[in-house]
Amino acid sequence: MKSTGIVRKVDELGRVVLPIELRRNMGIEIKDSLEIFVEDNMIILKKYEPADIFTGSMEDLIDYKGKKVSRASILEMVRIAGMEVKE
């Protein structure tokens, strides 16, 4: 892990401000969502990018009941179910 040398305090509402130069470098824009991970004693923030729940692919996604599924996964499931798809 690379240290930035930047230190920020948590305010009374639990917020931390990410410096503009860090946001620019990471491509984080206003209103972007961040995913939060915990590993050992670390909190890790990652720009949220929706992906297929089965393969992790981020291409050709469809929203199904609040989950992202790629067309390729849907076609594969149809084939596994023994059905045919007219393309």
Side-chain angles (χ1 to χ4, degrees), residues 23-84:
R23 286 182 278 144
R24 283 184 184 144
N25 287 341
M26 302 302 292
I28 299 170
E29 302 291 331
I30 294 171
K31 303 279 184 177
D32 279 353
S33 295
L34 297 178
E35 198 166 2
I36 303 168
F37 298 89
V38 176
E39 185 175 308
D40 298 324
N41 65 342
M42 295 182 289
I43 299 170
I44 300 166
L45 300 176
K46 179 182 179 236
K47 184 175 177 180
Y48 176 70
E49 296 182 42
D52 182 319
I53 60 170
F54 299 108
T55 65
S57 170
M58 289 188 263
E59 297 178 21
D60 207 10
L61 298 176
I62 295 171
D63 189 49
Y64 178 72
K65 295 187 178 184
K67 305 290 183 188
K68 301 293 183 189
V69 183
S70 70
R71 290 183 190 275
S73 288
I74 293 168
L75 291 173
E76 180 66 21
M77 286 186 277
V78 167
R79 287 186 196 100
I80 290 169
M83 303 167 79
E84 291 185 26

